[in-house]
């Protein structure tokens, strides 16, 4: 008899300080959470059976429309041959989808942590559905990225942000770090990918994921807001500080809230450049020249801006931005956007009342 294979060793392990809790009061009655749980149960899907995995995919061809990347407007890329530009877009998409995959694993762990730590019975049930949703997202992105045959490692800033969240000492911080900050970014990226992809499999996959994610963002709103309102002011400031630091990590990594400033060099993106033989220094020069010539990193019409449309309004709405931290945001030139209308319309996706436009 052969021995069963040894489980693979975890590649990165650490201890976390969070308290976890039982809840024996099964009579709690938080209607909004109960509704969210009911919707989540009805909306479960099977990533293996419900998607057409026989869809052919050529890893050497881009899976997004030209113009998806603001980079397309850079002179250094316009000088490339058509096939080099194809290679660039194929690798840039694989790099982005790899971040979706790794980010979903982080979401899987934070959702499980929420299940342990939220104090209400109905919140535990809801968090369990989010855990299953995230497991499915890891599964489908892993399957899709495997078809592309190009997997990039997790970006250091994304790892840092998810680690900050997983290391938090209170479940409210975990919900802020994941359900508002990381998922604010993810929701915008998924929404934009869904609009721009030329691959029918990726479009359907992303629509399914988006419906699930819209519930996760809604959970942040219906449950976290009330908890923050009931907190002692000192505890609320501690949570607001955490939110500021999470946003700041993301802003610094992405070249400012508009993405127009200096970014930290991302090893994955450097590898994308290397694929088409572009020197990172030349790329940076081209970026600076484009900025000087007034080429803005504006999103194409209809695309979502993660900070303006999702992340900041979500934090303001639950009371995770205080007068004190408003000053920190101002000092860091991060606008505190408050218009939650786009966020609310995306949350309605989770109710099934809204369908995707063609
Ligand atoms: Fe997810
Ligand atoms: Fe999620």
């Amino acid at each position: 008899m052969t021995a069963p294979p040894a489980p693979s060793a975890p590649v990165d392990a650490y201890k976390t300080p969070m308290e976890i809790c039982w809840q024996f009061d099964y009579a709690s009655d938080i209607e909004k959470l109960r509704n969210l749980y009911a919707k989540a149960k009805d909306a479960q899907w099977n990533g293996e059976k419900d998607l057409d995995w026989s869809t052919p995919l050529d890893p050497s061809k881009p899976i997004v429309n030209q113009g998806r990347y603001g980079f397309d407007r850079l002179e250094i890329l316009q000088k490339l041959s058509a096939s080099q530009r194809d290679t660039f877009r194929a690798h840039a998409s694989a790099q982005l989808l790899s971040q979706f995959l790794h980010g979903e694993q982080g979401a899987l762990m934070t959702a499980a942590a929420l299940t342990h730590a939220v104090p209400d019975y109905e919140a535990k049930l809801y968090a369990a559905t989010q855990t299953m949703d995230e497991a499915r997202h890891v599964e489908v992105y892993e399957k899709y990225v495997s078809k592309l045959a190009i997997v990039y490692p997790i970006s250091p800033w994304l790892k840092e942000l998810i680690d900050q969240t997983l290391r938090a000492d209170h479940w409210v911080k975990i919900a802020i770090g994941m359900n508002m900050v990381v998922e604010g970014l993810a929701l915008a990226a998924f929404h934009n990918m869904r609009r721009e992809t030329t691959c029918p499999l990726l479009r359907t996959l992303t629509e399914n994921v988006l419906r699930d994610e819209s519930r996760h963002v809604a959970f942040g709103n219906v449950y976290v807001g009330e908890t923050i309102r009931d907190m002692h002011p000192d505890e609320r400031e501690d949570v607001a500080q955490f939110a500021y630091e999470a946003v700041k990590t993301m802003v610094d990594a992405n070249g400012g809230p508009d993405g127009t400033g200096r970014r930290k060099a991302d090893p994955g993106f450097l590898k994308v450049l290397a694929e088409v033989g572009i020197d990172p220094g030349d790329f940076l020069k081209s970026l600076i020249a484009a900025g000087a010539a007034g080429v803005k990193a504006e999103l194409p019409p209809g695309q979502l801006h993660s900070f303006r449309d999702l992340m900041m309004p979500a934090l303001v709405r639950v009371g995770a931005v205080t007068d004190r931290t408003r000053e920190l945001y101002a000092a860091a030139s991060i606008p505190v956007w408050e218009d939650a209308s786009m966020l609310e319309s995306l949350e309605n996706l989770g109710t099934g009342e809204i369908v995707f436009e063609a």
Side-chain angles (χ1 to χ4, degrees), residues 134 183 213 216:
E134 307 298 11
E183 290 186 335
E213 297 297 350
H216 307 169

Side-chain angles (χ1 to χ4, degrees), residues 67-180:
R68 162 67 178 81
Y69 299 107
F71 294 139
D72 284 349
R73 278 166 280 168
L74 292 180
E75 201 189 338
I76 198 164
L77 293 180
Q78 285 164 356
K79 279 192 203 152
L80 296 175
S81 70
S83 87
Q84 275 179 312
R85 248 180 289 165
D86 275 2
T87 304
F88 176 83
R89 282 193 289 141
H91 276 266
S93 305
Q95 205 267 347
L96 180 61
L97 284 162
S98 299
Q99 304 317 308
F100 290 0
L101 165 63
H102 304 310
E104 292 292 358
Q105 186 187 162
L108 171 63
M109 291 190 285
T110 59
L114 284 177
T115 314
H116 287 145
V118 285
D120 291 291
Y121 153 69
E122 278 166 327
K124 285 185 184 293
L125 297 189
Y126 161 78
T129 65
Q130 186 175 331
T131 308
M132 181 56 209
D133 293 343
E134 307 298 11
R136 186 170 47 236
H137 300 171
V138 177
E139 178 197 345
V140 294
Y141 280 117
E142 195 282 326
K143 239 169 137 72
Y144 192 84
V145 170
S146 299
K147 270 173 92 77
L148 284 181
I150 319 168
V151 186
Y152 277 82
I154 188 167
S155 291
W157 67 269
L158 181 60
K159 174 80 167 43
E160 184 187 334
L161 182 59
I162 295 177
D163 281 345
Q164 244 172 298
T165 301
L166 279 166
R167 285 199 172 100
D169 58 3
H170 195 294
W171 70 266
V172 164
K173 293 180 186 171
I174 294 195
I176 284 176
M178 181 50 70
N179 293 54
M180 292 174 211

Side-chain angles (χ1 to χ4, degrees), residues 135-316:
R136 186 170 47 236
H137 300 171
V138 177
E139 178 197 345
V140 294
Y141 280 117
E142 195 282 326
K143 239 169 137 72
Y144 192 84
V145 170
S146 299
K147 270 173 92 77
L148 284 181
I150 319 168
V151 186
Y152 277 82
I154 188 167
S155 291
W157 67 269
L158 181 60
K159 174 80 167 43
E160 184 187 334
L161 182 59
I162 295 177
D163 281 345
Q164 244 172 298
T165 301
L166 279 166
R167 285 199 172 100
D169 58 3
H170 195 294
W171 70 266
V172 164
K173 293 180 186 171
I174 294 195
I176 284 176
M178 181 50 70
N179 293 54
M180 292 174 211
V181 178
V182 178
E183 290 186 335
L185 180 83
L187 214 56
F190 293 158
H191 172 90
N192 298 340
M193 176 60 89
R194 186 216 152 252
R195 286 177 62 93
E196 303 301 332
T197 185
T198 49
C199 171
L201 168 60
L202 184 57
R203 187 176 305 115
T204 313
L205 181 161
T206 309
E207 286 176 358
N208 286 4
V209 169
L210 264 172
R211 283 195 192 90
D212 292 344
E213 297 297 350
S214 63
R215 285 193 303 278
H216 307 169
V217 175
F219 169 74
N221 184 36
V222 302
Y223 192 53
V224 177
E226 269 176 41
T227 309
I228 292 179
R229 271 188 289 280
D230 291 343
M231 279 178 167
H232 184 279
D234 292 350
E235 205 181 358
R236 196 178 308 134
E237 285 299 343
D238 182 41
V239 163
Q241 184 68 28
F242 175 86
Y244 167 74
E245 283 166 15
V247 169
K248 184 77 168 53
T249 299
M250 193 174 276
V251 165
D252 288 349
N254 286 282
D258 276 327
T260 50
R262 284 288 286 272
R263 291 166 182 248
K264 281 186 191 162
D266 184 315
F269 190 69
L270 294 180
K271 194 165 167 288
V272 173
L273 292 178
E275 285 294 330
V276 286
I278 293 179
D279 175 77
D282 292 343
F283 185 80
L284 188 62
K285 275 186 217 149
S286 182
L287 209 55
I288 292 167
V295 178
K296 295 232 174 78
E298 275 169 9
L299 291 168
Q303 290 210 0
L304 285 179
H305 184 296
S306 54
F307 290 96
R308 182 193 64 211
D309 296 324
L310 305 173
M311 211 179 291
M312 295 312 299
L315 293 172
V316 170

